[in-house]
Amino acid sequence: MTAWFVQQNDETELGPLKPADLLELVRSGKVLAETMLKKDDSAWFPASDVGGLFEAARRPTIEYYCIDCGAQVKQPPTHCPHCIKDIQKARTHIVEHSVGSEPTAKSSEPKGPSDSAKRWLNRRLGKTNRN
């Protein structure tokens, strides 16, 4: 798996980070377009050079919850770490994301998930979009 590193303001290095951790830093505004990153052993480069990073951070995600106890679980089929039951179907929640600071070079792009991403999520959840 790819390891990401973030150069903080005081020149200290944060990492190694998983890709999901890097996305959370983008969503929280701690990684901006001008923030310096490196991937594994590469040279440092601005976050704006990572194609799709800021778009991926805006995409909605699906959270899954145990129907019996309400604890958050992984995507079914799985088991609940709280009530120890096998889960074939879970309650779902779509989480919309925003980015703390949009990349300056791409500020004209629409914010939020695209219509195609929303349709995909609705199909994934077994719902039909009747708009």
Side-chain angles (χ1 to χ4, degrees):
M1 182 185 337
T2 302
W4 289 92
F5 298 86
V6 176
Q7 193 174 63
Q8 297 179 314
N9 292 339
D10 59 0
E11 304 282 329
T12 60
E13 196 175 289
L14 178 64
L17 301 169
K18 297 179 200 170
D21 297 332
L22 180 60
L23 286 176
E24 284 305 313
L25 290 174
V26 171
R27 290 176 183 139
S28 69
K30 293 178 181 169
V31 169
L32 307 174
E34 62 274 4
T35 302
M36 298 302 284
L37 304 176
K38 72 176 182 174
K39 181 178 173 183
D40 297 322
D41 292 331
S42 74
W44 291 100
F45 52 87
S48 60
D49 287 358
V50 181
L53 176 63
F54 291 90
E55 292 80 7
R58 283 193 300 268
R59 284 190 197 118
T61 55
I62 302 173
E63 293 179 347
Y64 299 93
Y65 296 90
C66 177
I67 293 173
D68 293 323
C69 72
Q72 190 169 1
V73 295
K74 294 181 181 178
Q75 181 177 354
T78 187
H79 73 279
C80 177
H82 186 259
C83 67
I84 316 298
K85 292 188 178 181
D86 286 330
I87 298 174
Q88 298 303 314
K89 191 172 184 179
R91 187 172 42 92
T92 57
H93 176 69
I94 297 175
V95 179
E96 301 282 342
H97 297 286
S98 62
V99 175
S101 176
E102 297 295 323
T104 54
K106 300 183 182 193
S107 61
S108 63
E109 289 186 2
K111 297 177 183 175
S114 67
D115 288 337
S116 63
K118 288 179 183 177
R119 285 192 302 273
W120 176 84
L121 281 169
N122 284 332
R123 282 194 310 271
R124 180 95 167 110
L125 296 173
K127 299 176 183 177
T128 57
N129 190 356
R130 295 185 175 115
N131 291 342

